PDB file of all heavy atoms in Angstrom:
ATOM      1  N   VAL A 195       2.440  -7.710  -4.557  1.00  0.00           N
ATOM      2  CA  VAL A 195       1.919  -6.338  -4.582  1.00  0.00           C
ATOM      3  C   VAL A 195       2.410  -5.697  -5.868  1.00  0.00           C
ATOM      4  O   VAL A 195       3.612  -5.519  -6.055  1.00  0.00           O
ATOM      5  CB  VAL A 195       2.390  -5.565  -3.337  1.00  0.00           C
ATOM      6  CG1 VAL A 195       1.903  -4.127  -3.382  1.00  0.00           C
ATOM      7  CG2 VAL A 195       1.915  -6.269  -2.074  1.00  0.00           C
ATOM      8  N   GLU A 196       1.472  -5.389  -6.753  1.00  0.00           N
ATOM      9  CA  GLU A 196       1.844  -5.050  -8.130  1.00  0.00           C
ATOM     10  C   GLU A 196       1.107  -3.817  -8.641  1.00  0.00           C
ATOM     11  O   GLU A 196      -0.065  -3.619  -8.343  1.00  0.00           O
ATOM     12  CB  GLU A 196       1.479  -6.268  -8.998  1.00  0.00           C
ATOM     13  CG  GLU A 196       1.710  -6.086 -10.475  1.00  0.00           C
ATOM     14  CD  GLU A 196       1.130  -7.248 -11.282  1.00  0.00           C
ATOM     15  OE1 GLU A 196       1.702  -8.350 -11.236  1.00  0.00           O
ATOM     16  OE2 GLU A 196       0.095  -7.049 -11.938  1.00  0.00           O
ATOM     17  N   TRP A 197       1.812  -3.021  -9.425  1.00  0.00           N
ATOM     18  CA  TRP A 197       1.195  -1.935 -10.184  1.00  0.00           C
ATOM     19  C   TRP A 197       1.569  -2.128 -11.648  1.00  0.00           C
ATOM     20  O   TRP A 197       2.750  -2.316 -11.957  1.00  0.00           O
ATOM     21  CB  TRP A 197       1.723  -0.570  -9.725  1.00  0.00           C
ATOM     22  CG  TRP A 197       1.144  -0.067  -8.452  1.00  0.00           C
ATOM     23  CD1 TRP A 197       0.086   0.783  -8.305  1.00  0.00           C
ATOM     24  CD2 TRP A 197       1.597  -0.347  -7.114  1.00  0.00           C
ATOM     25  NE1 TRP A 197      -0.146   1.040  -6.969  1.00  0.00           N
ATOM     26  CE2 TRP A 197       0.765   0.369  -6.225  1.00  0.00           C
ATOM     27  CE3 TRP A 197       2.631  -1.122  -6.580  1.00  0.00           C
ATOM     28  CZ2 TRP A 197       0.926   0.326  -4.835  1.00  0.00           C
ATOM     29  CZ3 TRP A 197       2.789  -1.174  -5.208  1.00  0.00           C
ATOM     30  CH2 TRP A 197       1.939  -0.458  -4.350  1.00  0.00           C
ATOM     31  N   ALA A 198       0.572  -2.099 -12.519  1.00  0.00           N
ATOM     32  CA  ALA A 198       0.845  -2.176 -13.954  1.00  0.00           C
ATOM     33  C   ALA A 198       0.539  -0.814 -14.568  1.00  0.00           C
ATOM     34  O   ALA A 198      -0.497  -0.208 -14.273  1.00  0.00           O
ATOM     35  CB  ALA A 198      -0.013  -3.261 -14.597  1.00  0.00           C
ATOM     36  N   PHE A 199       1.452  -0.334 -15.398  1.00  0.00           N
ATOM     37  CA  PHE A 199       1.316   0.976 -16.054  1.00  0.00           C
ATOM     38  C   PHE A 199       1.272   0.714 -17.545  1.00  0.00           C
ATOM     39  O   PHE A 199       2.278   0.337 -18.141  1.00  0.00           O
ATOM     40  CB  PHE A 199       2.506   1.866 -15.705  1.00  0.00           C
ATOM     41  CG  PHE A 199       2.642   2.099 -14.212  1.00  0.00           C
ATOM     42  CD1 PHE A 199       3.453   1.272 -13.431  1.00  0.00           C
ATOM     43  CD2 PHE A 199       1.954   3.126 -13.592  1.00  0.00           C
ATOM     44  CE1 PHE A 199       3.570   1.487 -12.065  1.00  0.00           C
ATOM     45  CE2 PHE A 199       2.067   3.345 -12.233  1.00  0.00           C
ATOM     46  CZ  PHE A 199       2.875   2.529 -11.459  1.00  0.00           C
ATOM     47  N   SER A 200       0.109   0.904 -18.151  1.00  0.00           N
ATOM     48  CA  SER A 200       0.010   0.464 -19.529  1.00  0.00           C
ATOM     49  C   SER A 200       0.262   1.600 -20.507  1.00  0.00           C
ATOM     50  O   SER A 200       0.218   2.780 -20.151  1.00  0.00           O
ATOM     51  CB  SER A 200      -1.304  -0.254 -19.779  1.00  0.00           C
ATOM     52  OG  SER A 200      -2.347   0.659 -19.854  1.00  0.00           O
ATOM     53  N   ASP A 201       0.522   1.201 -21.768  1.00  0.00           N
ATOM     54  CA  ASP A 201       0.927   2.167 -22.791  1.00  0.00           C
ATOM     55  C   ASP A 201      -0.196   3.156 -23.115  1.00  0.00           C
ATOM     56  O   ASP A 201       0.049   4.189 -23.711  1.00  0.00           O
ATOM     57  CB  ASP A 201       1.408   1.437 -24.058  1.00  0.00           C
ATOM     58  CG  ASP A 201       0.441   0.363 -24.520  1.00  0.00           C
ATOM     59  OD1 ASP A 201      -0.683   0.284 -23.963  1.00  0.00           O
ATOM     60  OD2 ASP A 201       0.794  -0.410 -25.427  1.00  0.00           O
ATOM     61  N   ASP A 202      -1.442   2.857 -22.711  1.00  0.00           N
ATOM     62  CA  ASP A 202      -2.545   3.782 -22.978  1.00  0.00           C
ATOM     63  C   ASP A 202      -2.808   4.723 -21.794  1.00  0.00           C
ATOM     64  O   ASP A 202      -3.806   5.427 -21.769  1.00  0.00           O
ATOM     65  CB  ASP A 202      -3.823   3.012 -23.327  1.00  0.00           C
ATOM     66  CG  ASP A 202      -4.312   2.125 -22.193  1.00  0.00           C
ATOM     67  OD1 ASP A 202      -3.623   2.058 -21.140  1.00  0.00           O
ATOM     68  OD2 ASP A 202      -5.371   1.503 -22.334  1.00  0.00           O
ATOM     69  N   GLY A 203      -1.930   4.688 -20.797  1.00  0.00           N
ATOM     70  CA  GLY A 203      -2.057   5.628 -19.679  1.00  0.00           C
ATOM     71  C   GLY A 203      -2.815   5.080 -18.489  1.00  0.00           C
ATOM     72  O   GLY A 203      -2.984   5.787 -17.491  1.00  0.00           O
ATOM     73  N   ALA A 204      -3.278   3.818 -18.556  1.00  0.00           N
ATOM     74  CA  ALA A 204      -4.025   3.240 -17.436  1.00  0.00           C
ATOM     75  C   ALA A 204      -3.078   2.639 -16.401  1.00  0.00           C
ATOM     76  O   ALA A 204      -1.968   2.224 -16.724  1.00  0.00           O
ATOM     77  CB  ALA A 204      -4.992   2.173 -17.942  1.00  0.00           C
ATOM     78  N   ILE A 205      -3.545   2.606 -15.157  1.00  0.00           N
ATOM     79  CA  ILE A 205      -2.786   2.002 -14.063  1.00  0.00           C
ATOM     80  C   ILE A 205      -3.665   0.934 -13.424  1.00  0.00           C
ATOM     81  O   ILE A 205      -4.850   1.179 -13.165  1.00  0.00           O
ATOM     82  CB  ILE A 205      -2.398   3.051 -12.990  1.00  0.00           C
ATOM     83  CG1 ILE A 205      -1.641   4.224 -13.628  1.00  0.00           C
ATOM     84  CG2 ILE A 205      -1.577   2.419 -11.867  1.00  0.00           C
ATOM     85  CD1 ILE A 205      -1.372   5.372 -12.662  1.00  0.00           C
ATOM     86  N   THR A 206      -3.117  -0.250 -13.200  1.00  0.00           N
ATOM     87  CA  THR A 206      -3.856  -1.304 -12.509  1.00  0.00           C
ATOM     88  C   THR A 206      -3.097  -1.718 -11.255  1.00  0.00           C
ATOM     89  O   THR A 206      -2.135  -2.473 -11.332  1.00  0.00           O
ATOM     90  CB  THR A 206      -4.042  -2.540 -13.424  1.00  0.00           C
ATOM     91  OG1 THR A 206      -4.537  -2.106 -14.686  1.00  0.00           O
ATOM     92  CG2 THR A 206      -5.020  -3.533 -12.806  1.00  0.00           C
ATOM     93  N   PRO A 207      -3.514  -1.219 -10.085  1.00  0.00           N
ATOM     94  CA  PRO A 207      -2.932  -1.713  -8.846  1.00  0.00           C
ATOM     95  C   PRO A 207      -3.640  -3.013  -8.476  1.00  0.00           C
ATOM     96  O   PRO A 207      -4.867  -3.094  -8.575  1.00  0.00           O
ATOM     97  CB  PRO A 207      -3.270  -0.618  -7.821  1.00  0.00           C
ATOM     98  CG  PRO A 207      -3.873   0.520  -8.609  1.00  0.00           C
ATOM     99  CD  PRO A 207      -4.422  -0.089  -9.844  1.00  0.00           C
ATOM    100  N   ARG A 208      -2.896  -4.030  -8.112  1.00  0.00           N
ATOM    101  CA  ARG A 208      -3.555  -5.252  -7.653  1.00  0.00           C
ATOM    102  C   ARG A 208      -2.660  -6.012  -6.699  1.00  0.00           C
ATOM    103  O   ARG A 208      -1.438  -5.802  -6.657  1.00  0.00           O
ATOM    104  CB  ARG A 208      -3.998  -6.132  -8.827  1.00  0.00           C
ATOM    105  CG  ARG A 208      -2.886  -6.633  -9.709  1.00  0.00           C
ATOM    106  CD  ARG A 208      -3.425  -7.627 -10.743  1.00  0.00           C
ATOM    107  NE  ARG A 208      -2.317  -8.309 -11.411  1.00  0.00           N
ATOM    108  CZ  ARG A 208      -2.448  -9.414 -12.134  1.00  0.00           C
ATOM    109  NH1 ARG A 208      -3.629  -9.970 -12.306  1.00  0.00           N
ATOM    110  NH2 ARG A 208      -1.398  -9.985 -12.695  1.00  0.00           N
ATOM    111  N   VAL A 209      -3.288  -6.893  -5.926  1.00  0.00           N
ATOM    112  CA  VAL A 209      -2.564  -7.726  -4.970  1.00  0.00           C
ATOM    113  C   VAL A 209      -2.965  -9.163  -5.222  1.00  0.00           C
ATOM    114  O   VAL A 209      -4.154  -9.467  -5.379  1.00  0.00           O
ATOM    115  CB  VAL A 209      -2.894  -7.314  -3.521  1.00  0.00           C
ATOM    116  CG1 VAL A 209      -2.401  -8.364  -2.526  1.00  0.00           C
ATOM    117  CG2 VAL A 209      -2.273  -5.962  -3.192  1.00  0.00           C
ATOM    118  N   GLY A 210      -1.988 -10.040  -5.293  1.00  0.00           N
ATOM    119  CA  GLY A 210      -2.246 -11.464  -5.446  1.00  0.00           C
ATOM    120  C   GLY A 210      -1.863 -12.176  -4.167  1.00  0.00           C
ATOM    121  O   GLY A 210      -0.781 -11.959  -3.638  1.00  0.00           O
ATOM    122  N   ALA A 211      -2.783 -13.001  -3.657  1.00  0.00           N
ATOM    123  CA  ALA A 211      -2.471 -13.762  -2.450  1.00  0.00           C
ATOM    124  C   ALA A 211      -2.152 -15.193  -2.863  1.00  0.00           C
ATOM    125  O   ALA A 211      -2.927 -15.845  -3.550  1.00  0.00           O
ATOM    126  CB  ALA A 211      -3.638 -13.727  -1.484  1.00  0.00           C
ATOM    127  N   THR A 212      -0.973 -15.660  -2.471  1.00  0.00           N
ATOM    128  CA  THR A 212      -0.567 -17.026  -2.755  1.00  0.00           C
ATOM    129  C   THR A 212       0.173 -17.529  -1.518  1.00  0.00           C
ATOM    130  O   THR A 212       0.012 -16.966  -0.447  1.00  0.00           O
ATOM    131  CB  THR A 212       0.253 -17.068  -4.076  1.00  0.00           C
ATOM    132  OG1 THR A 212       0.748 -18.389  -4.287  1.00  0.00           O
ATOM    133  CG2 THR A 212       1.400 -16.081  -4.102  1.00  0.00           C
ATOM    134  N   GLY A 213       0.934 -18.611  -1.634  1.00  0.00           N
ATOM    135  CA  GLY A 213       1.600 -19.166  -0.453  1.00  0.00           C
ATOM    136  C   GLY A 213       0.841 -20.371   0.042  1.00  0.00           C
ATOM    137  O   GLY A 213       0.749 -21.383  -0.656  1.00  0.00           O
TER     138      GLY A 213
END
Side-chain angles (χ1 to χ4, degrees):
Chain A
V195 178
E196 176 189 288
W197 282 265
F199 301 93
S200 75
D201 49 9
D202 62 357
I205 305 173
T206 311
R208 62 173 191 165
V209 167
T212 175

